[in-house]
Amino acid sequence: MNKCEQKNLTFFKFSNLEPFENITHFVSTRNNGYSEGCFASLNLGLKVGDNPEIVIKNRMKLAEAAGLNALDFVVPSQSHTTNVQIVGCNQKGSGVLNKDTALTDTDAMITDEPNVCLLVFGADCVPVLFYDANKKVIGVAHAGWKGTVNKIVTKTLNLMQEKFGTNPKNILAGIGPAIGPCCYNIGGEVAIQFESNFPTSKNILTRDTHNKTIKLNLKEANKILMLEEGIPEKNIEISDFCTSCRHDLFFSHRYDKGKTGRFGAGIMMKQ
């Protein structure tokens, strides 16, 4: 990922997506916003208990730095589902100024329409961006452990193929900052679900019998889902950032013990 600074705001871009001039994309940080306390400072989440007016101000600042209008955003009401919505210009502004207008129970979105910025939020969960330069289709997904084990990435890619004729071989993907296996201990019941749904993968779970811990690699699990659908490995870029290790740079639900903000990952095609 490449670090960018615009209008006193730092954000990141995927190096595999950045060369395409007809798309705008970003992964924000937690810094240089207006929120205070545990939400300091660029909190983009309206559902975490922060002052809504301040959150909207943060969203406006991010949009301006990314060269967008905040009402170009489409915001889902993320709830760890595998629901994928096809969106268009008529959904622009959903959830931006009021959480009640966000797309209900949605954790992934796709579109083939320009000037629609698909935006998901994270604070340990995996934000994923997709771009098919051939068919001019974009997508985003929010993949926590529930979304990952139930294969939200697979469902997003399948809908891109079904509705827009996308060939996975033409998709570029970015796996954003998320909690890493260094910091993500899980329980036995969650591990069993991953062993069941990822039976051939040995790289997702790490068991330490001495300390009796199981660590989960969410980014690797989502990469595996992409490879299984036919995205070439060279087309997948994975952020090195662990949100818990780098809680100075990103919000981390686990590090902050549940009281924290949200950073954002978005992508839009230009007209």
Side-chain angles (χ1 to χ4, degrees), residues 102-114:
L103 304 185
T104 305
D105 290 333
T106 299
D107 286 86
M109 302 174 288
I110 61 175
T111 189
D112 65 345
E113 295 187 23

Side-chain angles (χ1 to χ4, degrees), residues 44-48 59 73-85 87 91 93-96 98-109 119-121 140 142 152 262:
L44 302 176
L46 278 173
K47 296 169 62 178
V48 296
R59 292 179 173 186
F73 292 146
V74 179
V75 175
S77 182
Q78 298 168 188
S79 52
H80 300 283
T81 68
T82 56
N83 296 334
V84 188
Q85 277 212 41
V87 301
Q91 274 97 15
S94 297
V96 175
N98 187 327
K99 62 182 174 58
D100 294 334
T101 65
L103 304 185
T104 305
D105 290 333
T106 299
D107 286 86
M109 302 174 288
L119 179 62
V120 291
F121 303 122
V140 297
H142 158 256
I152 189 170
R262 300 291 186 270

Side-chain angles (χ1 to χ4, degrees), residues 183-253:
C183 298
Y184 198 16
N185 293 323
I186 61 170
E189 291 184 3
V190 174
I192 289 170
Q193 292 184 56
F194 274 89
E195 287 172 332
S196 175
N197 286 8
F198 293 81
T200 62
S201 175
K202 307 299 181 185
N203 301 323
I204 294 175
L205 299 175
T206 304
R207 296 178 182 271
D208 186 330
T209 53
H210 177 71
N211 294 321
K212 297 182 179 179
T213 60
I214 308 170
K215 293 185 179 293
L216 172 62
N217 191 333
L218 274 179
K219 295 179 189 176
E220 181 68 19
N222 283 284
K223 175 186 174 183
I224 288 167
L225 295 177
M226 295 179 195
L227 293 174
E228 288 177 349
E229 290 305 304
I231 298 180
E233 187 166 11
K234 65 181 177 61
N235 288 10
I236 303 170
E237 181 176 347
I238 304 176
S239 167
D240 292 331
F241 289 119
C242 165
T243 46
S244 182
C245 289
R246 292 304 310 271
H247 56 271
D248 61 313
L249 193 58
F250 301 99
F251 295 105
S252 171
H253 186 271

